Amino acid sequence: MTSGPKLSFVYQASPSRVVFGAGSFVKAPEEIDRLGAKRALIITTPGRRKLGEELAARLGSKAAGIFDRAVMHVPVKTAEAGRAEAARLDADCYVAIGGGSATGLAKAIALVSGRPILCIPTTYSGSEMTPIWGLTEAGIKKNARDSRALPKTVIYDPALTLGMPEKLSATSGMNAVAHCVEALYAQDANPIISLIAEEGIRAMARGLPAVVKDPSNLEARSSALYGAWLGGVSLGGTTMALHHKLCHILGGAFDLPHSETHTVLLPHATAYNAAAAPEAMERIARALGAKSAAQGLYDLEVKMGTPLSLQSIGMKREGIEHAASLVIANPFYNSRPLSKEGIRALLEDAFAGRPPRSWSDA
Ligand code: NAD
């Protein structure tokens, strides 16, 4: 640990069991046994249906059914349909297989029933390691924490991520990096989560460009999935600041794609906070093997060919003023105080896809 002020912090461990390794997917039946469950409802997105069926075949009589209607941001109607199906099938556990959308739906169901979740993630969203649930109604997404939403067991099988397209891999991976970055300067940052977050960035920076170059590289996939796990722990172990709030605001107001929005904004939110969080910046830069945290993140994205501008992912220029107003109208903790001019300038940079600026007034 680097030197700093007197040690004083709260650390809350998240009690989940993690089974990691290529091929570990086959351990799902024994992990269901460990949970004491007998009738698993498999929850997935339409795109991962085939994988859900493979899992059902493997579970045999332990599979109660498949619910493949998970979509981004958990609409209330989808959650209600999932809860009804779980009750109809008398499911006693939920197996989410897929990205954050599948996990999100399983959480929405478990939140009401209190039944355990076994999660088998196939993207790098990190949701499987957090007690954070979300539900969307009339275009507004509500997020909160509840221990019933935290998966009891997570199986990380890098082999399941081999088919993830390069573009989704890169942006989903930057979503995990964003969890790590914000954990390092969180209001409730603590030495344990900071260790995890720094290692998460390091694992991603090592694995992700190699994944984009060769999506079938299992070693690189393993490193990236390990980074995603650590990103999820970082997200679950702290409360997030400017970057995540901005992503939430832009995603909700303009229906922008989730992981791409994280990717585009991350270097700019990092730059905005740089002068106010020097120790965090040092750790981020060190993990990236770069001189500057914000520029290092931007360079990593350039190298992987991810989207760099909000314009390229569907935002309109008029949205900048509206988004800056929303940030100021709903203030939250951030390392550096929020000003409307500052947020507007950050969004202008991100809109155009410019490299992150050096702020001199922080
Ligand atoms: P996603 O789950 O919506 O998946 C995106 C698409 O990729 C889907 O069509 C899916 O079928 C497909 N897909 C998934 N895995 C694949 C693979 N291996 N190969 C090919 N295609 C694959 O996207 P996501 O980014 O994983 O999750 C986003 C959602 O998760 C959002 O709703 C976000 O708010 C939520 N989230 C929640 C938390 C939390 O802690 N609560 C954390 C991060 C993200």
Side-chain angles (χ1 to χ4, degrees):
M1 219 193 120
T2 43
S3 64
K6 199 161 157 253
L7 278 182
S8 171
F9 58 87
V10 173
Y11 166 66
Q12 169 74 53
S14 283
S16 41
R17 171 180 163 85
V18 170
V19 178
F20 195 106
S24 52
F25 173 66
V26 302
K27 296 182 179 154
E30 63 192 84
E31 291 301 328
I32 288 175
D33 289 343
R34 272 186 88 96
L35 291 171
K38 293 189 166 45
R39 295 183 56 77
L41 175 62
I42 297 166
I43 295 168
T44 192
T45 44
R48 302 286 89 201
R49 166 92 201 181
K50 237 179 120 224
L51 193 55
E53 283 168 4
E54 250 179 75
L55 177 63
R58 199 165 278 286
L59 296 186
S61 63
K62 290 188 197 17
I66 302 177
F67 189 76
D68 69 357
R69 286 164 51 193
V71 291
M72 198 87 93
H73 304 315
V74 202
V76 165
K77 281 203 171 346
T78 311
E80 283 166 356
R83 288 168 186 159
E85 185 66 352
R88 187 183 73 80
L89 294 170
D90 193 23
D92 60 3
C93 80
Y94 315 115
V95 183
I97 186 160
S101 296
T103 307
L105 178 56
K107 288 177 170 185
I109 300 172
L111 198 58
V112 171
S113 70
R115 305 268 194 205
I117 301 171
L118 163 62
C119 204
I120 309 178
T122 62
T123 69
Y124 305 135
S125 83
S127 175
E128 65 282 352
M129 292 310 296
T130 84
I132 305 166
W133 58 269
L135 276 175
T136 304
E137 191 163 30
I140 296 172
K141 186 167 181 181
K142 231 197 293 171
N143 282 306
R145 287 174 189 249
D146 191 303
S147 58
R148 285 171 297 183
L150 178 73
K152 294 272 179 298
T153 307
V154 180
I155 296 180
Y156 283 107
D157 184 345
L160 298 184
T161 65
L162 290 173
M164 199 184 348
E166 292 99 297
K167 205 169 153 251
L168 175 63
S169 301
T171 57
S172 188
M174 291 312 294
N175 187 190
V177 172
H179 304 333
C180 299
V181 165
E182 289 238 293
L184 285 163
Y185 56 69
Q187 185 173 24
D188 47 4
N190 65 70
I192 303 302
I193 295 290
S194 292
L195 280 174
I196 290 172
E198 185 178 335
E199 172 68 357
I201 298 170
R202 189 171 294 112
M204 269 302 179
R206 188 172 54 228
L208 215 47
V211 161
V212 171
K213 204 162 150 215
D214 175 11
S216 68
N217 180 339
L218 190 58
E219 202 182 311
R221 286 287 188 190
S222 300
S223 182
L225 195 60
Y226 171 64
W229 167 29
L230 303 183
V233 175
S234 302
L235 175 67
T238 53
T239 44
M240 298 284 121
L242 176 63
H243 171 77
H244 282 75
K245 300 283 183 188
L246 267 181
C247 290
H248 191 80
I249 286 170
L250 295 189
F254 312 118
D255 199 25
L256 300 184
H258 179 78
S259 61
E260 286 88 340
T261 308
H262 271 275
T263 302
V264 170
L265 283 175
L266 185 60
H268 303 285
T270 308
Y272 186 91
N273 282 329
E279 192 186 326
M281 296 301 139
E282 200 185 307
R283 297 184 83 145
I284 297 162
R286 185 165 66 206
L288 292 169
K291 284 204 187 86
S292 140
Q295 187 63 41
L297 292 165
Y298 187 83
D299 291 345
L300 175 61
E301 294 178 352
V302 169
K303 187 170 166 186
M304 296 191 295
T306 68
L308 295 170
S309 73
L310 290 173
Q311 187 171 26
S312 72
I313 60 168
M315 184 160 157
K316 301 269 180 288
R317 175 172 284 283
E318 309 83 84
I320 294 178
E321 193 58 32
H322 180 51
S325 303
L326 286 175
V327 170
I328 299 306
N330 304 285
F332 46 82
Y333 169 82
N334 189 54
S335 330
R336 178 184 164 202
L338 304 169
S339 75
K340 189 158 181 193
E341 309 74 65
I343 301 302
R344 197 187 292 123
L346 182 169
L347 289 172
E348 288 282 359
D349 289 345
F351 182 80
R354 290 191 278 268
R357 68 174 72 190
S358 289
W359 294 82
S360 50
D361 60 341

